[in-house]
Structure formats: structure tokens, C-alpha cells
Amino acid sequence: MNLAEFIIAVESYNANIDIALVRKAYEFSDRVHAGQFRESGDPFVEHCLNVAFILAEQHMDSATIAAGLLHDAIEDAGATVEEIKGEFGEEIAQLVDGLTKMSELKFKSLAEQQVEYFRKMLLSMAKDIRVIVIKLADRLHNMRTLEHLPEEKRKRIALETREIYAPLAHRFGMARVRFELEDLAFKYLNSKEYAEIERKITESRDEREAYIKDLTIPLKAALESANIKAEITGRAKHSYSIYRKIVHRGVPFEQIYDFLAMRVVVDTITECYHALGIIHTMWAPVPDRFHDYIANPKSNMYRSMHTTVIGPRGKMIEIQIRTHAMHYTAEYGIAAHWLYKEGKKTQGELDRQMAWLREILEWQREMTNPEEFMEYLKVDLFQEDIFVYTPAGELKQLPRGSTPLDFAFVVHSDVGFHCVGAKVNGKFVPLTTRLESGDEIEIKTSPHQAPSQDWLKIVRTTRAKTKIKHWLKQKGFEQSILLGKEMFERELKKHRLALLTETEMSDLAAMNGFTNTEQMLSAIGSGSTSLQTLINKIAPPEPEKGEPSLVKRFIDQARGTSRGVRVAGVGNLMYRFASCCQPVPGERIIGFVTRGRGLSIHRADCQNAVAILEEPERRVDVEWDVEKGQSFLVRLYALVNDRKNILKDITEAISDVDINVRGGEIAVGQSPAIGHFVVEIQNYSQLSKALDKIRHVNGVLSVDREGISDFNKG
Ligand code: MN
């Protein structure tokens, strides 16, 4: 295809196209891509031209077609957004920018990169939905030319097309693009099955066409005599749709009765229902196979009536009945919006699509795990909808797999928050029950009911998930305010300080960088700020009087080797060391959430800590925050037969293995005598070496690390 042919074709699809703009975009693209070639050997600009042509086929506007021509100019040809903005204006520059991957950024993993890419794409889509129309056109041409890529790349691209792009096209109602993408992906992912089905479709052509004739001729006559002008078409369904039916139903090709797509397209909605009546008098309808998507459009804007009848020669056949406008929307989906732009006909539908996008974006912001987001996106893209009823007969639309709890949130957030039970078709069911199309649901509520973490596992809709998460977060915030207030007041009391006035509180908050008092209290309650620091600002601590005890000196010295305690997965929590076991760096520790007093740190082998293990929900994993290679102090406890020089011998034995002795004493007067030593070690193997050495000193009965129960003896 050359430019002249392209322009003639574009004009035939949309008479209002700005030819000068399209020509200019082509020339720009041709210039920046000069010297670049596709894997097929074609000049790169051919790809841009093909993408723009696919957009023209969908009757897209001038800006979209121009952006199609420029879509790889930034990413593959080094043009800048500013350049495109200067030449073509803001609108086109934004479209092209929205299509540019962030290849310059570094990502930890392919999954992360993929997520970032889709996230950016979704964001640009939310700004301008035409981005996805161009992206799908780009993907479609890449899939059409996939044979030129190496096998491994082909598989990856085909899989991504099947999992993301085809469902995206479906989501936006672009059936034409979707089916072609699916068939192309099928061709590369299951080539054997693809060839088999294509062969069977070809082989059965004569029979199929004869059958279509048998149905079309009498139907056309019947419709004409009722004064209905109808276009009746029939053809084989797409190979991937047939393949899915074969796999899904576990039957051979020959037994798939609905691989024929029969379509009756008329002028008005009234004629649709009229035509349906005529069809049902000619051939008996199959019960439960009638769907009225005209009265209840699918979430992707699809509208049509589907009925299955026992047709000529006793064969079951599905017939779709719709108007020309519905047909157009069914084929082009979101892209149809630009054709009808003037009439503002599709604005409501467009808004609904945007709502879906915004929900996805909202949801992904809360997901930190890239795999989780991709899984979610895939599931959400594939979702098919079911239709259920309120007891008043009001119709509600929900994704397949929804539960009564999802339904409750669709009725109203308050119904959702207070849902205690549900009746489906008059019977009480568990909230985890999966709803089916046609179900009538009655929700039972109680003012005492409230959402819990478990609810997130029950609900299927993004709406319910977001509401529940938000509620839990809000509740967590409120709880932490209450807790923070309690802790703060208790601390004031402890220091014999008066309660603060509202103004004093908000001053204190501002002084410490909080936006308001609530934020400060919540930070205290959640432990993300130190209560002690705040109190010190109100009343600076008095210096301690007198000589600190030996034990206290040791503990202070030992703790000085660390920067404190690191709490797994939670920022800076307020903590204090338990006085029962006085942990010091080097010892295994665990954290215990206490009410009102922050986190209490115990030695892992502390008697009290054993009790903590029985309340696992209050346990927090913690570790010493020490620098790598940092040494720490350990107290040793020895029983010795008092003899001359024994203290010196022990000290020397320790020094022999290159361990610093920071202090040592033997309390005489008892038999055996008790010795205490403070040593500085780097690791545990050094410690056991030292213990070994001491044990061999003449007169030493036993030596060990100072246990908890021994601690207060010295
Ligand atoms: Mn491209």
C-alpha cells in the first residue's frame, strides 16, 4: 500500500478526514523511520501505514489516524513529545505519548516491567480512550506479521495477545479486532488444532452454505410479507470460538451445532421483536437459550437478541437479531463512539467504560505485588456478566462468580457494610454462594454487622473490594486515633503533666510535622512516631541521679552496639525492652503487642515470651538493628572453685581466642564461687569457642551464657 492508495481508502471510510494532517503525519513518520526495517524486510513506515489503515477501517477520526502513523516515532525513532507537540499539537502528542512504553526505566523483573507498562497504558486510556484503539490496531498488525519473528518471541507475543489484548478488545466491544486477534494467537499457540479446525471449516463449506440457504430463503420471504426489510447473513464462527466450544463441552467438531453465526439485521428495535416472533413461529425455540441483550445490554455495550431454534432438518441453530446501529456497535465497540460523536449517542456508554477503567486504576494502586495485579487484570478482562434480581424485580448486573455480598454492595454501600445473610430464590444461603443468572436475592442486614478482612476473600467485584478495603483502612485509622489518645494521656499522667488543651494539641502536632491532631494521635497509636520524643518536648527529662547499677550499666553499654530494634514489615514502632529478661544485642528476640504501651521486646527464650507464642496474632517479628560486622556484648556466668589467680586464668583463656574481655569479677564467700564476665563477640561460634576455653581452666565447674533466671542474681 502506498500513500495515495491509503488516502483514497481513508476518505472512503470517513469523508470528513483531514487529508492534509494525515499526509503531514505520514511524511513525519517516513522521515523519522527512514532507514528502519521490520523483521519482514519491509520499510518500517509500512507498519505505521497499516496501523493507520486499520484505524481508518474503524472509521476513527483524523487525530487518531495521524497518531497511528506516529505511534512508534518516539519509542523506535527517537522523536520527542515536544517535537510532535510542536508539529501536530497537544492532542496528538498526548495520544502518541500514551502509546510509548517506558523502555528507558529499569525494572527488577519482566513481570514488574509488564505491569508498569499496562499501568501506564491504562492511565493514558483513562485520559483518552483512543489510546487503546490505536494500541489494538498496532497489536493487530504485529500479529498479522508475527511469522517473521523467531519462534520464542512469537509464542510470548501470541500469549500476551490472548491473555490481555483480545480480552481488552472484548471489554471495549471491538468484536472484529478481538476475533482476529484470537484467531491469530490461536494459530501460533495451538497450531495443530488451528489447522485442523480451519480444514474442517473449509471441508464443510458446501454443506453449510446449502443449510444457510434453506434457512434464509423462507425467513426472508416471511419477513418481507410482514414488511420487514432484513439483511440475513450466515457464516462459520471464528476458529478460536469453535475450538473453545470443543474444549469446553468436550465434544468433537461435528457435534458443535452453533458453529454457524446466523444474523438478522433490521432497521428498528420494534422490528427486532417482530422478527423474533416470526422466527419462533417458523421454528420451535430451544428453551433457556433466549437472551435479550437489547433490553439488558452487556457491559461492553453489546446489544442483540440471541435465540436458538430447531431449524430446517431438525438442526439446532443460533440466530442473532439486531438493528444496523447495534450491529455497528457490536463490530466496532468503543471505536463506534467517534462515528456517532456528533449525536452524543454513546456518551453514557463511554462513561461506563471509563468507570471500569477508573476502578481498575483505583484497585491497582492498592496492589504492591505485580503478579497479583496482572492476575487481577486478566480475570477482570475475561469476566462475563450475569443478571440477577432484587426482590422488587429490579435487574442488577454482576460479573460471573459474584456472591450475595457483591450483590449487597451493588444495592448500596450501607447494605453491603451491614450484610449478615442472604436468601437466594427464597432460601438462606452462605455468603460465599456463587450467584447464577436469573437468581433473586434478598439481603439481610443488621446494624451491628461490620466488614472484616475475610470479606475480601468472598467478594468478586472491584467495587465491593474497594469499599471494604477503604472501610477497613478508615477503621484502622480511627482505632489508632483512639489508641494514640489513650497512650498519650497515660504518658502525661505518668509524668504528672496536665492534659493538653485542643490548641496545645494542635500546636504540638504542627511542631512535629503533622497536618492535624488526629494524624499525630494516629501516628502514636500505630507506633509510627515515638511517644517519648513528644513527651520530652513538653517536659524535658530530668537527668538521672546517682550511680547507675552495674546491671544497668552493662545493659546500656550492650544496647549501645545497636541502633535499636527493627520490626519486620512495619516502620518505626514504639517499643520498650521487657524488664523480665532484659534482652541485649546478639540475643534472639521477639516482639509482643501490648495494649496502650506499644511493642514489648523479649528474649525469644523468656518465660513470658513462651506465653506470647500462644497468642500468635499479637506477636511481631523483630531483630536487632546492628551494622554488619558489629560486635556485641554477652554476659557469662561461671561457677568456680575459688583459688588464687583463677580470675586471671579465665581472662587469659578468653583473650587466647581473640575475644575482648570487657569486665570480670568473682564474688567470693560462697562455695562454689560465682563469676561474671562481659565479653565482646562477633558471632556465636566465637562465643562457643570462648566457653570451651573457659571450661578447661582448672577449677571451673561450669560456665554458660547468663540465663534469664540468673540475671538478677548479679
Ligand atoms: Mn508499532
Side-chain angles (χ1 to χ4, degrees):
M1 186 177 9
N2 60 32
L3 181 62
E5 287 167 350
F6 172 72
I7 285 179
I8 293 167
V10 167
E11 277 188 305
S12 76
Y13 285 118
N14 187 345
N16 300 324
I17 222 80
D18 182 347
I19 295 300
L21 175 73
V22 171
R23 199 182 281 276
K24 189 175 158 195
Y26 174 81
E27 278 157 9
F28 186 95
S29 180
D30 192 33
R31 194 176 73 239
V32 296
H33 288 297
Q36 294 181 339
F37 294 90
R38 298 269 290 177
E39 295 282 342
S40 59
D42 290 336
F44 198 95
V45 71
E46 284 273 305
H47 166 63
C48 306
L49 202 57
N50 273 289
V51 169
F53 184 72
I54 294 170
L55 293 168
E57 280 181 315
Q58 296 174 56
H59 309 269
M60 292 305 288
D61 59 349
S62 311
T64 311
I65 293 172
L69 284 164
L70 299 168
H71 80 274
D72 279 325
I74 297 179
E75 193 185 337
D76 293 324
T80 65
V81 188
E82 287 69 36
E83 222 175 308
I84 292 177
K85 199 159 135 188
E87 294 265 344
F88 300 96
E90 180 77 41
E91 185 189 4
I92 292 176
Q94 279 225 354
L95 285 173
V96 178
D97 186 40
L99 288 154
T100 305
K101 295 176 203 157
M102 297 161 298
S103 32
E104 67 271 22
L105 293 177
K106 291 259 181 294
F107 292 102
K108 282 188 210 119
S109 65
L110 191 67
E112 198 181 328
Q113 183 177 348
Q114 200 187 21
V115 169
E116 263 317 301
Y117 174 56
F118 282 113
R119 206 181 62 86
K120 189 186 173 198
M121 194 171 82
L122 292 169
L123 274 169
S124 350
M125 276 159 61
K127 271 192 227 140
D128 192 331
I129 199 81
R130 287 175 295 181
V131 165
I132 191 58
V133 183
I134 303 170
K135 186 66 220 176
L136 288 169
D138 178 35
R139 178 52 62 123
L140 186 54
H141 185 247
N142 286 338
M143 284 301 289
R144 283 180 185 167
T145 52
L146 198 61
E147 65 195 68
H148 303 291
L149 294 187
E151 165 80 14
E152 186 203 301
K153 253 189 167 175
R154 262 187 251 165
K155 283 260 180 318
R156 185 176 58 76
I157 293 174
L159 189 66
E160 193 184 53
T161 299
R162 179 185 282 176
E163 289 191 333
I164 307 279
Y165 289 98
L168 258 179
H170 175 52
R171 193 14 94 169
F172 291 106
M174 300 165 70
R176 261 190 197 216
V177 173
R178 171 202 165 184
F179 287 129
E180 193 179 343
L181 286 176
E182 277 181 352
D183 280 357
L184 285 165
F186 180 38
K187 180 174 159 188
Y188 290 102
L189 291 171
N190 313 77
S191 30
K192 225 182 80 204
E193 292 85 349
Y194 172 81
E196 170 97 1
I197 289 177
E198 285 288 304
R199 187 175 56 80
K200 285 187 170 156
I201 291 174
T202 314
E203 275 174 10
S204 59
R205 178 153 64 218
D206 290 350
E207 193 193 328
R208 186 168 59 246
E209 280 173 358
Y211 189 81
I212 291 169
K213 229 183 232 168
D214 286 352
L215 192 134
T216 310
I217 294 169
L219 179 57
K220 195 151 189 122
L223 291 174
E224 263 167 20
S225 64
N227 256 332
I228 299 172
K229 214 170 86 215
E231 232 172 73
I232 306 170
T233 53
R235 50 159 190 81
K237 281 198 173 164
H238 295 272
S239 50
Y240 185 59
S241 314
I242 298 172
Y243 173 68
R244 257 202 320 235
K245 282 185 203 294
I246 292 173
V247 173
H248 188 70
R249 296 182 198 161
V251 296
F253 179 86
E254 288 67 26
Q255 283 177 35
I256 300 286
Y257 58 88
D258 51 359
F259 75 92
L260 250 183
M262 284 299 302
R263 204 165 280 153
V264 177
V265 182
V266 295
D267 287 329
T268 65
I269 292 182
T270 321
E271 283 175 353
C272 289
Y273 289 99
H274 196 172
L276 176 77
I278 291 170
I279 290 167
H280 282 181
T281 53
M282 293 174 77
W283 301 291
V286 178
D288 296 330
R289 295 274 307 168
F290 172 69
H291 302 284
D292 186 352
Y293 299 118
I294 292 179
N296 305 312
K298 287 193 182 187
S299 57
N300 66 2
M301 312 192 270
Y302 179 87
R303 297 175 79 193
S304 189
M305 265 189 298
H306 293 185
T307 185
T308 302
V309 297
I310 312 287
R313 283 179 259 149
K315 271 190 171 181
M316 278 208 279
I317 174 125
E318 189 189 74
I319 303 174
Q320 303 172 348
I321 309 159
R322 55 177 77 154
T323 66
H324 288 283
M326 289 173 195
H327 182 56
Y328 192 82
T329 304
E331 297 276 289
Y332 297 106
I334 197 92
H337 173 73
W338 279 271
L339 192 72
Y340 294 131
K341 217 170 172 179
E342 278 77 33
K344 300 262 176 228
K345 256 185 178 169
T346 53
Q347 193 55 48
E349 283 154 359
L350 197 64
D351 286 348
R352 260 168 55 196
Q353 294 296 324
M354 293 310 231
W356 172 76
L357 259 178
R358 272 190 285 269
E359 267 196 8
I360 292 248
L361 287 169
E362 177 102 350
W363 189 223
Q364 68 86 22
R365 226 175 286 138
E366 294 171 19
M367 284 192 217
T368 42
N369 180 347
E371 278 88 5
E372 191 191 1
F373 173 60
M374 283 318 280
E375 272 323 298
Y376 171 73
L377 185 63
K378 282 179 204 164
V379 169
D380 211 74
L381 282 170
F382 273 117
Q383 95 186 2
E384 289 284 335
D385 292 333
I386 56 165
F387 294 92
V388 294
Y389 297 89
T390 68
E394 201 186 324
L395 187 79
K396 299 281 180 193
Q397 191 173 3
L398 285 167
R400 189 170 294 283
S402 292
T403 62
L405 200 50
D406 287 298
F407 178 82
F409 277 95
V410 166
V411 174
H412 196 278
S413 306
D414 279 337
V415 176
F417 290 145
H418 298 120
C419 173
V420 279
K423 272 183 171 178
V424 170
N425 306 323
K427 273 189 216 139
F428 273 107
V429 296
L431 285 180
T432 48
T433 308
R434 286 174 156 240
L435 298 175
E436 302 279 350
S437 248
D439 280 348
E440 185 193 297
I441 302 122
E442 192 184 338
I443 297 295
K444 299 285 171 196
T445 58
S446 154
H448 307 296
Q449 178 68 312
S452 70
Q453 202 72 30
D454 292 343
W455 283 21
L456 291 170
K457 289 184 208 128
I458 300 176
V459 295
R460 165 72 185 77
T461 51
T462 313
R463 181 195 166 83
K465 270 189 185 150
T466 316
K467 296 259 180 214
I468 296 167
K469 280 203 162 184
H470 187 256
W471 192 93
L472 290 172
K473 212 167 151 189
Q474 184 63 30
K475 185 173 161 243
F477 181 65
E478 281 163 13
Q479 274 187 337
S480 65
I481 291 175
L482 283 180
L483 186 64
K485 190 163 186 285
E486 194 187 303
M487 284 164 67
F488 188 72
E489 287 173 359
R490 190 201 304 257
E491 200 67 16
L492 288 174
K493 228 188 227 165
K494 206 172 101 191
H495 288 81
R496 297 184 212 291
L497 293 166
L499 290 184
L500 270 57
T501 66
E502 245 173 69
T503 329
E504 285 170 331
M505 283 299 275
S506 69
D507 284 350
L508 183 67
M511 246 165 57
N512 289 283
F514 294 101
T515 37
N516 54 42
T517 307
E518 286 195 337
Q519 295 287 350
M520 176 177 72
L521 290 175
S522 156
I524 297 172
S526 64
S528 58
T529 197
S530 150
L531 183 53
Q532 196 55 53
T533 314
L534 288 175
I535 294 288
N536 288 352
K537 286 197 178 149
I538 306 168
E542 289 166 32
E544 274 184 57
K545 290 182 199 106
E547 196 57 22
S549 75
L550 207 86
V551 172
K552 181 152 187 349
R553 243 175 35 222
F554 163 70
I555 289 169
D556 288 347
Q557 208 182 6
R559 285 182 189 158
T561 62
S562 82
R563 283 184 291 258
V565 165
R566 240 192 333 244
V567 181
V570 196
N572 280 322
L573 274 189
M574 192 191 93
Y575 64 84
R576 62 192 180 81
F577 293 104
S579 51
C580 53
C581 55
Q582 297 286 13
V584 293
E587 292 171 344
R588 274 206 313 121
I589 46 174
I590 57 174
F592 182 61
V593 181
T594 63
R595 178 136 180 86
R597 296 170 73 191
L599 199 63
S600 152
I601 309 289
H602 291 260
R603 274 170 71 154
D605 54 354
C606 168
Q607 280 301 312
N608 294 330
V610 174
I612 295 167
L613 295 179
E614 278 158 23
E615 269 184 286
E617 69 281 0
R618 298 179 69 177
R619 186 193 158 153
V620 178
D621 286 332
V622 292
E623 57 178 354
W624 292 103
D625 188 8
V626 285
E627 255 178 272
K628 240 186 150 185
Q630 166 81 53
S631 57
F632 45 83
L633 305 181
V634 171
R635 249 161 85 92
L636 305 179
Y637 173 81
L639 290 177
V640 299
N641 283 324
D642 197 15
R643 66 166 170 84
K644 212 178 151 193
N645 286 338
I646 190 160
L647 181 61
K648 183 171 148 273
D649 290 349
I650 292 175
T651 315
E652 276 175 1
I654 302 171
S655 306
D656 272 352
V657 286
D658 268 325
I659 291 176
N660 272 340
V661 185
R662 298 282 288 260
E665 59 184 7
I666 288 179
V668 290
Q670 295 182 52
S671 186
I674 298 167
H676 292 289
F677 300 90
V678 177
V679 297
E680 187 180 340
I681 62 159
Q682 309 277 350
N683 51 50
Y684 280 103
S685 68
Q686 230 185 352
L687 177 64
S688 44
K689 250 194 252 168
L691 292 174
D692 216 25
K693 221 45 187 173
I694 300 168
R695 265 180 215 121
H696 287 91
V697 173
N698 187 19
V700 173
L701 301 172
S702 76
V703 63
D704 217 327
R705 192 159 180 206
E706 191 127 41
I708 297 153
S709 50
D710 310 316
F711 207 93
N712 293 319
K713 289 179 192 163

